[in-house]
């Protein structure tokens, strides 16, 4: 009477389990449709169905688009290429895109009781661009992205316009146009995007667009051919100042082109307001510094490294990244052949940071400065070998710059990938010593490269 019989318990439990299972996964096929064991149903089930009677034309196009979307991403070498729809599905989407384009043009026409509506037109242009993207039409998508961005820009929808311009710039880079046209159009589109972000006071995104615009000017160029063009160099330095004004940059004097917008300002309060404080802004400037090092523009690279240091010192929490930024400044000064300035910066500025004193980067910088000041090649090679753990954490271009450091003079460009050959000496003893030093340098380079590869794999 209190608990019921065991059979009622099991029946209730099974009913509850069935209800819970149906609530989670849906009812089973047996519960939805009762089984009918009739001759007509059996004959119908056994009768083969033709494709025309089972699948309609709309279903065929839907299945075709679904099958292509499953294999949407394919690798082509090092790039990830997005596949596009084909066949009847592509014809349908192209027609739909043309309809959206006609609607956008109609929305921009002036009538007796209507006026142009750029917001609606921009939306239609964006929908058409999305459809052209699915069809793999690079040029049509790019044109409609720019048209959508222009419509959004006229109505002060700056965020949407900036995203459309950035996407159009990416399409220009991926296109098969000549390199000169790629450089010009992508640079302009990224600058337009940066202007839109500046209108919204998004200084971090604007600075990233400025760096991208400068990087686009390097399309089709070779870093080993010679120095960077003055126009490209000016674009990179303008991107650096967009993050940190020259008056707050410790190496603002290393700027080679242009004049700072804050020159002559007695008070740095306005300059401090223009410093980019968004997250990961230092990584954007690090990309610019890497590009400058690749093209052997060490002065401009030091200018960018000073801006990175300013951003990391301003956040008050960076330790490891700040230590590597300090080390980059030391390496670049030594690569320029100015060991006196490197020693002074190391003593008066870098060592004032307590977290830097016990780091691996500090030891490497100190050993390099001491070896070059004493003009001891053996000590320099030993410093490179003993501090290979610190060197493995550096960027590959900066690591190669450390390996190229020498006791006298600045680091020069290598031609045709040839390694620097030590000057021949008069005596056989000096010649053997030079060969031994060259062998030690080669062994150091191999060891550091192996260490960097192992740490990257880990």
């Amino acid at each position: 009477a209190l608990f019921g019989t065991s059979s009622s318990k099991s029946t209730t439990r099974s009913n509850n389990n069935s209800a819970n299972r149906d609530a989670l996964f849906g009812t089973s096929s047996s519960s939805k449709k009762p089984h009918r064991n009739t001759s007509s149903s059996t004959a119908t089930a056994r009768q083969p169905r033709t494709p025309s009677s089972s699948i309609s034309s709309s279903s065929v196009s839907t299945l075709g688009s679904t099958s292509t979307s499953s294999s949407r991403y394919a690798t082509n070498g090092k790039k990830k290429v997005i596949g596009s729809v084909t066949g009847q599905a592509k014809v349908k989407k192209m027609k739909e895109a043309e309809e959206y384009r006609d609607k956008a043009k109609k929305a921009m026409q002036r009538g007796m009781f209507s006026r142009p509506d750029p917001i609606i037109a921009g939306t239609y242009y964006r929908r058409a661009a999305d459809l052209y993207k699915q069809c793999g039409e690079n040029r049509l998508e790019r044109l409609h992205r720019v048209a959508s961005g222009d419509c959004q820009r006229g109505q002060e929808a700056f965020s949407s316009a900036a995203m459309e311009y950035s996407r159009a710039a990416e399409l220009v880079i991926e296109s098969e146009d000549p390199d000169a046209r790629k450089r010009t159009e992508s640079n302009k589109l990224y600058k337009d995007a940066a202007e839109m972000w500046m209108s919204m006071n998004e200084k971090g995104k604007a600075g990233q667009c400025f760096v991208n615009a400068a990087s686009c000017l390097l399309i089709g160029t070779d870093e080993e051919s010679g120095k960077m063009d003055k126009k490209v160099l000016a674009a990179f330095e303008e991107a650096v100042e967009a993050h940190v004004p020259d008056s707050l940059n410790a190496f603002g004097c290393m700027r080679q082109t242009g004049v700072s917008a804050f020159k002559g300002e007695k008070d740095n309060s306005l300059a401090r307001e223009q410093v980019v404080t968004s997250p990961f802004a230092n990584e954007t400037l690090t990309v610019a510094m890497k590009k400058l090092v690749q093209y052997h523009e060490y002065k401009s690279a030091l200018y960018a490294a000073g801006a990175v240091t300013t951003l990391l010192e301003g956040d008050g929490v960076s330790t490891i990244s700040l230590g590597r930024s300090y080390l980059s400044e030391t390496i670049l000064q030594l690569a320029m052949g100015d060991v006196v300035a490197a020693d002074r910066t190391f003593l008066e500025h870098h060592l004032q940071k307590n977290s830097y004193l016990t780091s691996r980067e500090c030891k490497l910088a100190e050993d390099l400065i001491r070896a070059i000041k004493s003009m001891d090649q053996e000590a320099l090679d030993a410093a490179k070998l003993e501090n290979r753990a610190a060197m493995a954490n550096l960027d590959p271009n900066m690591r190669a710059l450390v390996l190229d450091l020498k006791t006298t003079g600045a680091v020069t460009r290598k031609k045709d990938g040839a390694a620097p050959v030590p000057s021949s000496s008069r005596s056989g003893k000096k010649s053997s010593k030079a060969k031994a030093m060259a062998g030690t340098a080669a062994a150091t380079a191999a060891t550091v490269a192996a260490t960097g590869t192992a740490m990257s794999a880990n």
Side-chain angles (χ1 to χ4, degrees), residues 263-309:
K263 185 178 181 180
E265 295 286 341
K266 296 181 180 179
D267 189 7
N268 291 331
S269 59
L270 182 60
R272 291 191 182 93
E273 294 178 359
Q274 301 301 319
V275 175
V276 176
T277 57
S278 60
F280 309 109
N282 61 298
E283 295 184 2
T284 304
L285 286 180
T286 303
V287 172
M289 183 182 67
K290 293 176 183 178
K291 293 289 185 181
L292 293 168
V293 171
Q294 286 181 4
Y295 283 80
H296 311 285
E297 295 292 344
Y298 300 135
K299 286 186 177 181
S300 299
L302 183 59
Y303 171 66
V308 173
T309 301

Short mmCIF file of all heavy atoms in Angstrom, two decimals, residues 263-309:
data_model
loop_
_atom_site.label_atom_id
_atom_site.label_comp_id
_atom_site.label_asym_id
_atom_site.label_seq_id
_atom_site.Cartn_x
_atom_site.Cartn_y
_atom_site.Cartn_z
N LYS A 263 55.90 67.60 -33.45
CA LYS A 263 57.15 68.31 -33.32
C LYS A 263 56.89 69.74 -32.85
O LYS A 263 56.00 70.44 -33.35
CB LYS A 263 57.88 68.35 -34.67
CG LYS A 263 59.26 68.98 -34.59
CD LYS A 263 59.96 68.94 -35.94
CE LYS A 263 61.35 69.55 -35.85
NZ LYS A 263 62.05 69.52 -37.17
N GLY A 264 57.65 70.17 -31.86
CA GLY A 264 57.50 71.51 -31.32
C GLY A 264 56.54 71.59 -30.15
O GLY A 264 56.38 72.68 -29.56
N GLU A 265 55.91 70.50 -29.80
CA GLU A 265 55.00 70.51 -28.65
C GLU A 265 55.81 70.50 -27.35
O GLU A 265 56.64 69.62 -27.12
CB GLU A 265 54.08 69.29 -28.69
CG GLU A 265 53.12 69.28 -29.86
CD GLU A 265 51.99 70.28 -29.69
OE1 GLU A 265 51.75 70.70 -28.53
OE2 GLU A 265 51.37 70.64 -30.70
N LYS A 266 55.57 71.48 -26.51
CA LYS A 266 56.29 71.55 -25.24
C LYS A 266 55.73 70.56 -24.22
O LYS A 266 56.46 70.02 -23.41
CB LYS A 266 56.22 72.97 -24.69
CG LYS A 266 56.91 74.01 -25.58
CD LYS A 266 56.83 75.40 -24.96
CE LYS A 266 57.53 76.43 -25.85
NZ LYS A 266 57.44 77.80 -25.28
N ASP A 267 54.45 70.35 -24.27
CA ASP A 267 53.79 69.44 -23.34
C ASP A 267 53.41 68.17 -24.09
O ASP A 267 52.86 68.23 -25.19
CB ASP A 267 52.54 70.09 -22.74
CG ASP A 267 51.97 69.26 -21.61
OD1 ASP A 267 52.61 68.27 -21.22
OD2 ASP A 267 50.87 69.59 -21.13
N ASN A 268 53.71 67.03 -23.50
CA ASN A 268 53.42 65.75 -24.13
C ASN A 268 52.05 65.19 -23.76
O ASN A 268 51.78 64.01 -24.01
CB ASN A 268 54.49 64.72 -23.75
CG ASN A 268 55.83 65.04 -24.36
OD1 ASN A 268 55.91 65.64 -25.44
ND2 ASN A 268 56.90 64.65 -23.69
N SER A 269 51.20 66.01 -23.19
CA SER A 269 49.87 65.51 -22.78
C SER A 269 49.05 65.10 -24.00
O SER A 269 48.37 64.07 -23.98
CB SER A 269 49.14 66.59 -21.98
OG SER A 269 48.99 67.78 -22.76
N LEU A 270 49.11 65.88 -25.07
CA LEU A 270 48.37 65.53 -26.28
C LEU A 270 48.95 64.27 -26.92
O LEU A 270 48.21 63.42 -27.44
CB LEU A 270 48.40 66.70 -27.26
CG LEU A 270 47.63 66.50 -28.58
CD1 LEU A 270 46.15 66.24 -28.29
CD2 LEU A 270 47.80 67.70 -29.49
N ALA A 271 50.27 64.14 -26.88
CA ALA A 271 50.91 62.95 -27.47
C ALA A 271 50.54 61.69 -26.68
O ALA A 271 50.35 60.62 -27.27
CB ALA A 271 52.42 63.14 -27.50
N ARG A 272 50.42 61.81 -25.37
CA ARG A 272 50.06 60.64 -24.56
C ARG A 272 48.65 60.17 -24.86
O ARG A 272 48.34 58.98 -24.75
CB ARG A 272 50.20 60.97 -23.07
CG ARG A 272 51.64 61.16 -22.61
CD ARG A 272 51.72 61.22 -21.09
NE ARG A 272 53.08 61.45 -20.64
CZ ARG A 272 53.60 62.64 -20.39
NH1 ARG A 272 52.85 63.74 -20.54
NH2 ARG A 272 54.84 62.77 -19.99
N GLU A 273 47.78 61.10 -25.23
CA GLU A 273 46.41 60.70 -25.57
C GLU A 273 46.36 59.92 -26.88
O GLU A 273 45.41 59.16 -27.11
CB GLU A 273 45.53 61.94 -25.68
CG GLU A 273 45.33 62.66 -24.36
CD GLU A 273 44.48 63.91 -24.51
OE1 GLU A 273 44.08 64.19 -25.68
OE2 GLU A 273 44.23 64.59 -23.51
N GLN A 274 47.35 60.09 -27.73
CA GLN A 274 47.37 59.41 -29.03
C GLN A 274 48.06 58.05 -28.99
O GLN A 274 48.11 57.37 -30.01
CB GLN A 274 48.07 60.30 -30.06
CG GLN A 274 47.42 61.65 -30.25
CD GLN A 274 45.97 61.54 -30.69
OE1 GLN A 274 45.63 60.70 -31.52
NE2 GLN A 274 45.11 62.38 -30.13
N VAL A 275 48.60 57.65 -27.85
CA VAL A 275 49.25 56.34 -27.75
C VAL A 275 48.19 55.26 -27.81
O VAL A 275 47.15 55.33 -27.14
CB VAL A 275 50.06 56.25 -26.45
CG1 VAL A 275 50.65 54.85 -26.27
CG2 VAL A 275 51.18 57.28 -26.45
N VAL A 276 48.44 54.23 -28.60
CA VAL A 276 47.50 53.12 -28.74
C VAL A 276 47.61 52.23 -27.51
O VAL A 276 48.70 51.72 -27.19
CB VAL A 276 47.80 52.32 -30.02
CG1 VAL A 276 46.88 51.11 -30.11
CG2 VAL A 276 47.64 53.20 -31.24
N THR A 277 46.52 52.04 -26.83
CA THR A 277 46.50 51.23 -25.61
C THR A 277 45.68 49.95 -25.78
O THR A 277 45.41 49.26 -24.79
CB THR A 277 45.92 52.04 -24.44
OG1 THR A 277 44.60 52.51 -24.79
CG2 THR A 277 46.82 53.23 -24.12
N SER A 278 45.28 49.63 -26.98
CA SER A 278 44.49 48.42 -27.21
C SER A 278 45.37 47.18 -27.04
O SER A 278 46.59 47.24 -27.21
CB SER A 278 43.89 48.44 -28.62
OG SER A 278 44.91 48.50 -29.59
N PRO A 279 44.78 46.04 -26.71
CA PRO A 279 45.57 44.81 -26.53
C PRO A 279 46.27 44.39 -27.82
O PRO A 279 45.76 44.58 -28.92
CB PRO A 279 44.53 43.77 -26.09
CG PRO A 279 43.37 44.57 -25.58
CD PRO A 279 43.36 45.83 -26.37
N PHE A 280 47.46 43.85 -27.65
CA PHE A 280 48.26 43.29 -28.74
C PHE A 280 48.70 44.34 -29.76
O PHE A 280 49.04 44.00 -30.90
CB PHE A 280 47.50 42.17 -29.47
CG PHE A 280 46.96 41.11 -28.56
CD1 PHE A 280 45.59 41.01 -28.35
CD2 PHE A 280 47.80 40.24 -27.89
CE1 PHE A 280 45.08 40.04 -27.50
CE2 PHE A 280 47.29 39.27 -27.04
CZ PHE A 280 45.93 39.18 -26.85
N ALA A 281 48.68 45.62 -29.38
CA ALA A 281 49.19 46.64 -30.30
C ALA A 281 50.69 46.49 -30.50
O ALA A 281 51.21 46.81 -31.57
CB ALA A 281 48.86 48.04 -29.76
N ASN A 282 51.39 45.99 -29.49
CA ASN A 282 52.84 45.78 -29.63
C ASN A 282 53.15 44.72 -30.68
O ASN A 282 54.19 44.79 -31.35
CB ASN A 282 53.44 45.38 -28.28
CG ASN A 282 52.86 44.09 -27.74
OD1 ASN A 282 51.66 44.01 -27.46
ND2 ASN A 282 53.68 43.07 -27.58
N GLU A 283 52.28 43.73 -30.84
CA GLU A 283 52.52 42.70 -31.85
C GLU A 283 52.40 43.27 -33.26
O GLU A 283 53.13 42.85 -34.17
CB GLU A 283 51.54 41.55 -31.66
CG GLU A 283 51.72 40.81 -30.34
CD GLU A 283 50.79 39.62 -30.21
OE1 GLU A 283 50.03 39.37 -31.19
OE2 GLU A 283 50.82 38.96 -29.17
N THR A 284 51.52 44.24 -33.44
CA THR A 284 51.42 44.89 -34.75
C THR A 284 52.70 45.62 -35.10
O THR A 284 53.20 45.54 -36.23
CB THR A 284 50.23 45.86 -34.75
OG1 THR A 284 49.03 45.17 -34.38
CG2 THR A 284 50.05 46.48 -36.12
N LEU A 285 53.26 46.33 -34.12
CA LEU A 285 54.53 47.03 -34.36
C LEU A 285 55.68 46.05 -34.52
O LEU A 285 56.64 46.32 -35.24
CB LEU A 285 54.82 47.99 -33.21
CG LEU A 285 53.97 49.26 -33.16
CD1 LEU A 285 54.36 50.11 -31.96
CD2 LEU A 285 54.13 50.06 -34.45
N THR A 286 55.60 44.90 -33.86
CA THR A 286 56.64 43.88 -34.02
C THR A 286 56.68 43.36 -35.45
O THR A 286 57.75 43.08 -36.00
CB THR A 286 56.41 42.73 -33.03
OG1 THR A 286 56.37 43.25 -31.70
CG2 THR A 286 57.52 41.70 -33.14
N VAL A 287 55.51 43.24 -36.08
CA VAL A 287 55.46 42.83 -37.48
C VAL A 287 56.18 43.86 -38.36
O VAL A 287 56.94 43.50 -39.27
CB VAL A 287 54.00 42.66 -37.93
CG1 VAL A 287 53.91 42.42 -39.42
CG2 VAL A 287 53.36 41.50 -37.18
N ALA A 288 55.94 45.14 -38.09
CA ALA A 288 56.63 46.19 -38.86
C ALA A 288 58.13 46.13 -38.63
O ALA A 288 58.92 46.30 -39.58
CB ALA A 288 56.07 47.56 -38.46
N MET A 289 58.55 45.88 -37.40
CA MET A 289 59.98 45.79 -37.11
C MET A 289 60.62 44.61 -37.86
O MET A 289 61.73 44.72 -38.38
CB MET A 289 60.20 45.65 -35.61
CG MET A 289 61.66 45.61 -35.18
SD MET A 289 61.85 45.37 -33.40
CE MET A 289 61.23 43.70 -33.21
N LYS A 290 59.92 43.47 -37.92
CA LYS A 290 60.45 42.32 -38.64
C LYS A 290 60.64 42.63 -40.12
O LYS A 290 61.64 42.25 -40.73
CB LYS A 290 59.51 41.12 -38.47
CG LYS A 290 59.44 40.57 -37.06
CD LYS A 290 58.42 39.45 -36.98
CE LYS A 290 58.29 38.92 -35.56
NZ LYS A 290 57.25 37.86 -35.45
N LYS A 291 59.66 43.33 -40.71
CA LYS A 291 59.78 43.69 -42.11
C LYS A 291 60.98 44.59 -42.35
O LYS A 291 61.73 44.43 -43.33
CB LYS A 291 58.51 44.40 -42.58
CG LYS A 291 57.27 43.53 -42.61
CD LYS A 291 57.34 42.53 -43.75
CE LYS A 291 56.05 41.73 -43.86
NZ LYS A 291 56.11 40.73 -44.96
N LEU A 292 61.20 45.54 -41.46
CA LEU A 292 62.33 46.45 -41.61
C LEU A 292 63.66 45.73 -41.44
O LEU A 292 64.64 46.04 -42.13
CB LEU A 292 62.21 47.59 -40.60
CG LEU A 292 61.01 48.54 -40.83
CD1 LEU A 292 60.81 49.45 -39.63
CD2 LEU A 292 61.22 49.36 -42.09
N VAL A 293 63.71 44.76 -40.55
CA VAL A 293 64.94 43.98 -40.38
C VAL A 293 65.21 43.13 -41.61
O VAL A 293 66.35 42.97 -42.04
CB VAL A 293 64.86 43.11 -39.11
CG1 VAL A 293 66.03 42.14 -39.03
CG2 VAL A 293 64.83 43.99 -37.87
N GLN A 294 64.16 42.58 -42.22
CA GLN A 294 64.33 41.78 -43.43
C GLN A 294 64.97 42.59 -44.55
O GLN A 294 65.78 42.07 -45.31
CB GLN A 294 62.98 41.24 -43.90
CG GLN A 294 62.44 40.10 -43.06
CD GLN A 294 61.11 39.61 -43.58
OE1 GLN A 294 60.62 40.07 -44.62
NE2 GLN A 294 60.49 38.68 -42.87
N TYR A 295 64.62 43.85 -44.64
CA TYR A 295 65.16 44.71 -45.68
C TYR A 295 66.38 45.51 -45.21
O TYR A 295 66.76 46.49 -45.84
CB TYR A 295 64.07 45.66 -46.19
CG TYR A 295 63.08 44.99 -47.12
CD1 TYR A 295 62.05 44.22 -46.60
CD2 TYR A 295 63.19 45.10 -48.49
CE1 TYR A 295 61.14 43.58 -47.44
CE2 TYR A 295 62.29 44.48 -49.34
CZ TYR A 295 61.27 43.73 -48.80
OH TYR A 295 60.38 43.09 -49.64
N HIS A 296 66.94 45.13 -44.07
CA HIS A 296 68.20 45.69 -43.56
C HIS A 296 68.09 47.18 -43.25
O HIS A 296 69.08 47.91 -43.33
CB HIS A 296 69.33 45.45 -44.56
CG HIS A 296 69.43 44.03 -45.03
ND1 HIS A 296 69.92 43.01 -44.25
CD2 HIS A 296 69.07 43.45 -46.21
CE1 HIS A 296 69.87 41.87 -44.93
NE2 HIS A 296 69.35 42.11 -46.10
N GLU A 297 66.91 47.64 -42.90
CA GLU A 297 66.72 49.03 -42.47
C GLU A 297 66.79 49.06 -40.95
O GLU A 297 65.79 49.11 -40.25
CB GLU A 297 65.38 49.56 -42.98
CG GLU A 297 65.27 49.65 -44.49
CD GLU A 297 66.18 50.72 -45.07
OE1 GLU A 297 66.66 51.58 -44.29
OE2 GLU A 297 66.40 50.70 -46.30
N TYR A 298 68.04 49.03 -40.43
CA TYR A 298 68.23 48.86 -38.99
C TYR A 298 67.83 50.12 -38.21
O TYR A 298 67.35 50.02 -37.08
CB TYR A 298 69.67 48.47 -38.70
CG TYR A 298 70.09 47.18 -39.37
CD1 TYR A 298 71.31 47.06 -40.04
CD2 TYR A 298 69.25 46.07 -39.37
CE1 TYR A 298 71.68 45.88 -40.67
CE2 TYR A 298 69.60 44.89 -40.00
CZ TYR A 298 70.82 44.81 -40.65
OH TYR A 298 71.17 43.64 -41.27
N LYS A 299 68.03 51.29 -38.78
CA LYS A 299 67.64 52.51 -38.07
C LYS A 299 66.12 52.57 -37.88
O LYS A 299 65.64 52.85 -36.78
CB LYS A 299 68.13 53.74 -38.84
CG LYS A 299 69.64 53.97 -38.75
CD LYS A 299 70.01 55.29 -39.41
CE LYS A 299 71.49 55.57 -39.27
NZ LYS A 299 71.86 56.86 -39.89
N SER A 300 65.40 52.32 -38.95
CA SER A 300 63.93 52.34 -38.83
C SER A 300 63.44 51.19 -37.97
O SER A 300 62.43 51.33 -37.25
CB SER A 300 63.31 52.26 -40.23
OG SER A 300 63.69 53.37 -41.01
N ALA A 301 64.14 50.05 -38.02
CA ALA A 301 63.76 48.94 -37.15
C ALA A 301 63.97 49.30 -35.68
O ALA A 301 63.16 48.94 -34.82
CB ALA A 301 64.58 47.70 -37.50
N LEU A 302 65.04 50.01 -35.37
CA LEU A 302 65.27 50.47 -34.00
C LEU A 302 64.21 51.49 -33.59
O LEU A 302 63.78 51.52 -32.43
CB LEU A 302 66.67 51.08 -33.89
CG LEU A 302 67.12 51.55 -32.51
CD1 LEU A 302 67.09 50.41 -31.51
CD2 LEU A 302 68.51 52.17 -32.58
N TYR A 303 63.79 52.31 -34.54
CA TYR A 303 62.70 53.26 -34.29
C TYR A 303 61.41 52.52 -33.92
O TYR A 303 60.70 52.90 -32.97
CB TYR A 303 62.53 54.12 -35.53
CG TYR A 303 61.33 55.02 -35.55
CD1 TYR A 303 61.21 56.08 -34.65
CD2 TYR A 303 60.31 54.84 -36.47
CE1 TYR A 303 60.11 56.92 -34.68
CE2 TYR A 303 59.20 55.67 -36.51
CZ TYR A 303 59.11 56.71 -35.61
OH TYR A 303 58.02 57.55 -35.63
N ALA A 304 61.12 51.44 -34.64
CA ALA A 304 59.93 50.63 -34.33
C ALA A 304 60.09 49.89 -33.00
O ALA A 304 59.14 49.75 -32.22
CB ALA A 304 59.65 49.64 -35.46
N ALA A 305 61.31 49.40 -32.72
CA ALA A 305 61.56 48.70 -31.46
C ALA A 305 61.37 49.64 -30.26
O ALA A 305 60.87 49.22 -29.21
CB ALA A 305 62.97 48.10 -31.45
N GLY A 306 61.77 50.89 -30.41
CA GLY A 306 61.54 51.86 -29.33
C GLY A 306 60.06 52.07 -29.08
O GLY A 306 59.64 52.23 -27.92
N ALA A 307 59.23 52.06 -30.15
CA ALA A 307 57.79 52.20 -29.96
C ALA A 307 57.20 50.98 -29.26
O ALA A 307 56.32 51.11 -28.40
CB ALA A 307 57.12 52.41 -31.32
N VAL A 308 57.71 49.79 -29.60
CA VAL A 308 57.25 48.57 -28.93
C VAL A 308 57.57 48.64 -27.44
O VAL A 308 56.75 48.30 -26.57
CB VAL A 308 57.89 47.32 -29.57
CG1 VAL A 308 57.54 46.07 -28.77
CG2 VAL A 308 57.42 47.17 -31.01
N THR A 309 58.78 49.08 -27.11
CA THR A 309 59.17 49.21 -25.71
C THR A 309 58.28 50.20 -24.96
O THR A 309 57.90 49.96 -23.81
CB THR A 309 60.64 49.64 -25.62
OG1 THR A 309 61.45 48.67 -26.29
CG2 THR A 309 61.09 49.77 -24.18
#
